[in-house]
Amino acid sequence: MKITTQMFFDRFLSGIQRNMEAVISDNEQISTGKKINRPSDDPSTLVRIINYKTQLASLGEYKRTIDAAKGPLQAFDSAFGNLSDILQRASELAIGGASSTTDANSKLMISKEVDMLYQRAVGIANTKIGDRYIFSGFQSNVAPVDANSGEFVGDSNTLQLNVGVGINISANVSAGGLFSFKRAYTTDSSNAILPSYNWNNNGSITIPDADPVSALYTSSGSFVNSSDVFTANGGALSIKVGDSSQTSAGGFMINAANNIINIDGANRTIPGGIYTGAGLAAALSGLVAGVAFNYDSSSHSFSINGAGHTIDLSASNSRSILGFNSAPVQTLSSTGIKSDFSVGDVNLAANATLNDVRNTINTAVAGVKAEVVNFGTLTGQDYRLVVASNPVGSSDKIKVTVSTTDAAGTGLNRLSYDKSTTVNMTLGTDIKNYNYFSDLSTANDSIAIDSSNNAINIKEGALSGTATITPGTYSATQLAAAIKTALEAATASANTYAVAYDPNARKFTITSNGGNLDTLTLYWSNTASTARQLLGYNAADVNVAPGSSDVSNNAVLANYYSFNNNYLNQDNILRALNFLKVSLESNDAGRIGKAIGYVNTVSEKVYQTAADIGSRLNKIDAEEKYQGDVELNVNTYLSNDQDTDFGKVVSDIAQRQNALQGLRTISTDFLKTSLFDFLK
């Protein structure tokens, strides 16, 4: 192919232009430090650069989030370390306070140090970083624990932070359920959070002094009410607690099955009721002048004196409960007669109810106390007897020997207990509806009514009276039915009423039925209305017209808030410390012992939470390291694609300058030729 002058010039100029552009590009790379200065430089490499920068931006965002999470979590880690120290010291103080060698004054001094530990715990709960309370959930501008009442007033929301691809970290811990809790209703007493000694239900003890340590309870017997018959034939219980040498006062139940004693040929009726041994002897002595009865608590026996008077034990249905065998008529001599056999610590008549058994045991003062407890729910009742040592802490050492003709496994035999041989009762430490309430809505399943809280002063038209609720242990629903019965029996009026309990609002409603002729006046302001506070009403009289209702002003506080509620005491740091402090102040060795368990339980909870915080920090550290490695690699890739390789560019410039110099030399030689050179 013939190469023309034009072709030569075109290629020559193209070579110069190409090298000049390369030199300019190289100089631009040197000045900017970047390989790619415009999209047209290298579109595919530019795409990679954009992806690298996007990835680095995401890593930067994760890094900022990690930094935001680490600060609070490190503060939590420090807080839980301090909490562990506080609870460790509290445990040491509790152990010292529980010692039999620690007197009341020493316990009081220990309680003051426990109070200081409590204040430190409140301070930790209200820890701030900058202007944020770290234990307060989303309400980080509010101190989570009220310093006065100890109530949790923050929220329990969890702050989740995304610290990596598919990796979320909880960056906070709520004080709720750890330090303290919230009242269900703001109208509930503030004492519900940190109750005083044995406090329950706004000051009224609905379960008498619930044992905080342990207790024995009977098996299920299909009892749907505390007034159900527990023993068909009655009998006697002999009770001993460990090596105690305590002599009981004796407990004796008298009813129609055992209330007759024949003296001087006539049946004499013993007034029904529950007596101590001495009390029953006094009641018997009052039946016939000149006939005296005495009770010897050491031998558990009675003696009858009254020279010249006759006793017919064969005609006396009370002979067994007094310790006598059947015998024909005998005339008392100057020395009288004594029981043929020892009676029990607790002596029960036939057809004794659960309430009768409880009351007779408690009357005997035999080293134990008893209560009737509903183990069921509002929809399914299951009443049982609970027996605990008194003082507390030795329920596992109780021995109950039963003498009865009840069938095996029934009646009084349910109370037989000796941990080495016979265990008809169960030893429990967290007994539902007794000292362990985890559900506020069903915590009113055991309400004890007695003469101190069973009256409502009323008026129906012109008729006045007192509605007296039958003493016993009720669920809230059963108590509503008992209130209805009491109202309708209070006067001669034919008016009828409906009484209901709302477990959600925890309030009672008393309704005068539409067909009634009279307005019902409830004299809540009258001090004789002793049931007012228990039922949640204010001290203001209310007129209830036919078809109208009166609803409790306040939610019934329920056993849930009880000072002795194991569930709350072992679940909240402040509650556990308060229980210990108050028990020390009250010189209650049994409850101080229980406080050791509470403190240890919340300590374990703190330990587990601290371990979780440590796990979160480790997870963050691992993610931070991983992201650091990724960032280093991405930056390397980005640098390779984006940053100028100065050594290479300088070398390229030198080569291109040499090429340009060669082109200039060639062009000079070429331009010297003329037409005459071609014509030669």
Side-chain angles (χ1 to χ4, degrees):
M1 181 179 69
K2 183 178 180 181
I3 298 177
T4 65
T5 302
Q6 184 62 45
M7 291 176 61
F8 175 82
F9 271 101
D10 288 343
R11 291 184 180 181
F12 169 75
L13 292 175
S14 175
I16 292 177
Q17 184 177 4
R18 189 167 53 252
N19 278 278
M20 288 296 296
E21 288 175 352
V23 170
I24 292 171
S25 176
D26 289 343
N27 282 318
E28 188 176 25
Q29 288 187 41
I30 290 174
S31 63
T32 63
K34 305 295 182 184
K35 288 181 180 179
I36 309 298
N37 290 290
R38 57 188 59 82
S40 59
D41 287 347
D42 191 338
S44 62
T45 300
L46 182 61
V47 169
R48 290 201 304 273
I49 290 172
I50 291 172
N51 289 337
Y52 294 148
K53 289 184 175 181
T54 300
Q55 190 173 359
L56 289 172
S58 296
L59 291 171
E61 186 63 34
Y62 288 142
K63 185 175 181 180
R64 286 188 290 274
T65 305
I66 286 173
D67 290 341
K70 286 181 74 172
L73 288 176
Q74 287 169 344
F76 286 127
D77 191 48
S78 174
F80 284 116
N82 291 331
L83 274 177
S84 294
D85 292 341
I86 288 172
L87 294 173
Q88 175 62 37
R89 180 55 181 161
S91 179
E92 293 169 358
L93 293 173
I95 292 171
S99 171
S100 59
T101 61
T102 305
D103 60 24
N105 287 333
S106 298
K107 289 186 177 76
L108 191 60
M109 294 301 295
I110 293 172
S111 75
K112 295 183 184 301
E113 184 175 349
V114 173
D115 184 58
M116 293 175 62
L117 296 176
Y118 169 87
Q119 298 299 335
R120 285 177 57 194
V122 171
I124 291 173
N126 291 335
T127 297
K128 292 178 74 174
I129 293 182
D131 59 351
R132 298 173 63 86
Y133 291 96
I134 64 175
F135 285 102
S136 202
F138 289 173
Q139 296 180 357
S140 58
N141 61 329
V142 177
V145 172
D146 186 306
N148 295 317
S149 69
E151 183 172 14
F152 171 61
V153 293
D155 71 42
S156 299
N157 290 309
T158 300
L159 178 61
Q160 292 284 342
L161 295 179
N162 180 227
V163 296
V165 179
I167 298 177
N168 295 315
I169 291 289
S170 296
N172 68 334
V173 175
S174 174
L178 177 65
F179 286 92
S180 189
F181 60 99
K182 284 185 179 181
R183 290 169 292 167
Y185 296 88
T186 56
T187 54
D188 289 348
S189 172
S190 59
N191 288 337
I193 304 299
L194 301 173
S196 54
Y197 184 68
N198 271 345
W199 181 92
N200 195 38
N201 202 25
N202 203 18
S204 175
I205 307 298
T206 58
I207 293 185
D209 193 20
D211 185 276
V213 180
S214 63
L216 298 168
Y217 57 89
T218 57
S219 59
S220 177
S222 301
F223 301 114
V224 297
N225 200 300
S226 61
S227 59
D228 288 349
V229 172
F230 184 78
T231 170
N233 301 310
L237 308 175
S238 294
I239 301 172
K240 185 174 178 60
V241 182
D243 297 326
S244 173
S245 58
Q246 177 179 351
T247 300
S248 77
F252 298 83
M253 176 194 168
I254 301 296
N255 65 10
N258 63 355
N259 67 340
I260 300 298
I261 185 166
N262 189 285
I263 304 176
D264 293 338
N267 286 340
R268 316 293 177 168
T269 301
I270 309 168
I274 294 174
Y275 300 88
T276 62
L280 180 56
L284 287 162
S285 297
L287 296 177
V288 175
V291 179
F293 289 74
N294 290 287
Y295 177 72
D296 184 344
S297 60
S298 61
S299 63
H300 286 50
S301 62
F302 287 89
S303 61
I304 309 174
N305 296 282
H309 292 274
T310 62
I311 299 291
D312 185 356
L313 291 171
S314 64
S316 303
N317 65 7
S318 62
R319 60 179 179 270
S320 292
I321 203 168
L322 299 177
F324 290 97
N325 294 320
S326 179
V329 177
Q330 52 188 308
T331 301
L332 297 176
S333 66
S334 59
T335 58
I337 59 175
K338 287 190 64 175
S339 298
D340 298 306
F341 54 88
S342 296
V343 297
D345 294 298
V346 177
N347 304 274
L348 294 151
N351 298 316
T353 67
L354 280 85
N355 287 337
D356 292 332
V357 177
R358 173 198 63 195
N359 295 340
T360 308
I361 290 174
N362 290 339
T363 298
V365 193
V368 299
K369 58 186 175 182
E371 186 49 58
V372 179
V373 173
N374 179 15
F375 277 53
T377 64
L378 293 174
T379 57
Q381 313 303 324
D382 179 15
Y383 282 85
R384 308 191 200 183
L385 281 164
V386 174
V387 181
S389 64
N390 187 21
V392 301
S394 300
S395 294
D396 62 322
K397 300 176 183 176
I398 294 174
K399 181 178 180 180
V400 181
T401 304
V402 177
S403 175
T404 182
T405 56
D406 290 337
T410 69
L412 288 185
N413 290 311
R414 294 178 184 275
L415 292 167
S416 179
Y417 186 84
D418 183 338
K419 68 178 181 180
S420 62
T421 56
T422 307
V423 286
N424 288 350
M425 288 191 285
T426 301
L427 180 67
T429 55
D430 288 330
I431 302 175
K432 182 183 177 186
N433 293 335
Y434 187 62
N435 60 1
Y436 194 87
F437 312 106
S438 60
D439 185 352
L440 183 62
S441 65
T442 60
N444 273 326
D445 282 356
S446 285
I447 302 175
I449 298 295
D450 57 30
S451 59
S452 69
N453 61 0
N454 70 334
I456 306 173
N457 195 256
I458 69 169
K459 183 177 181 182
E460 297 174 300
L463 300 174
S464 298
T466 298
T468 303
I469 306 167
T470 301
T473 302
Y474 299 89
S475 70
T477 299
Q478 289 176 329
L479 180 57
I483 296 168
K484 167 184 165 65
T485 300
L487 289 171
E488 293 176 350
T491 69
S493 166
N495 294 333
T496 59
Y497 303 97
V499 182
Y501 174 73
D502 182 346
N504 295 315
R506 293 186 291 116
K507 293 183 177 182
F508 289 92
T509 300
I510 299 174
T511 302
S512 177
N513 291 331
N516 293 342
L517 298 177
D518 304 308
T519 293
L520 170 68
T521 301
L522 297 166
Y523 290 112
W524 296 123
S525 66
N526 193 322
T527 56
S529 293
T530 56
R532 175 188 66 80
Q533 193 174 50
L534 176 69
L535 302 180
Y537 288 95
N538 291 337
D541 299 338
V542 176
N543 293 317
V544 185
S548 300
S549 301
D550 184 20
V551 180
S552 300
N553 302 100
N554 309 301
V556 178
L557 289 181
N559 302 321
Y560 178 79
Y561 292 125
S562 166
F563 175 76
N564 295 301
N565 184 356
N566 286 351
Y567 172 75
L568 292 178
N569 292 338
Q570 69 186 25
D571 202 51
N572 299 277
I573 295 168
L574 300 185
R575 180 92 177 199
L577 291 173
N578 177 74
F579 184 92
L580 173 57
K581 178 177 79 75
V582 174
S583 298
L584 286 163
E585 292 171 343
S586 304
N587 192 26
D588 188 331
R591 282 171 172 74
I592 296 168
K594 186 62 177 179
I596 297 172
Y598 292 153
V599 171
N600 289 341
T601 300
V602 293
S603 294
E604 179 62 23
K605 191 173 183 179
V606 167
Y607 172 79
Q608 294 293 341
T609 307
D612 179 59
I613 293 297
S615 175
R616 294 186 216 175
L617 284 169
N618 290 338
K619 190 174 182 179
I620 285 178
D621 288 341
E623 182 63 20
E624 187 175 34
K625 182 179 184 304
Y626 168 75
Q627 290 182 13
D629 293 340
V630 171
E631 183 179 29
L632 177 61
N633 291 334
V634 172
N635 276 320
T636 299
Y637 300 147
L638 176 62
S639 178
N640 290 340
D641 280 348
Q642 175 181 263
D643 296 339
T644 300
D645 184 343
F646 287 96
K648 182 176 181 303
V649 171
V650 170
S651 175
D652 289 345
I653 289 175
Q655 291 178 7
R656 290 188 173 100
Q657 286 178 337
N658 289 335
L660 284 171
Q661 183 62 39
L663 286 171
R664 187 166 57 249
T665 302
I666 293 172
S667 66
T668 302
D669 292 340
F670 179 77
L671 290 174
K672 288 180 181 179
T673 61
S674 66
L675 179 59
F676 297 104
D677 294 317
F678 287 101
L679 292 176
K680 288 182 178 179

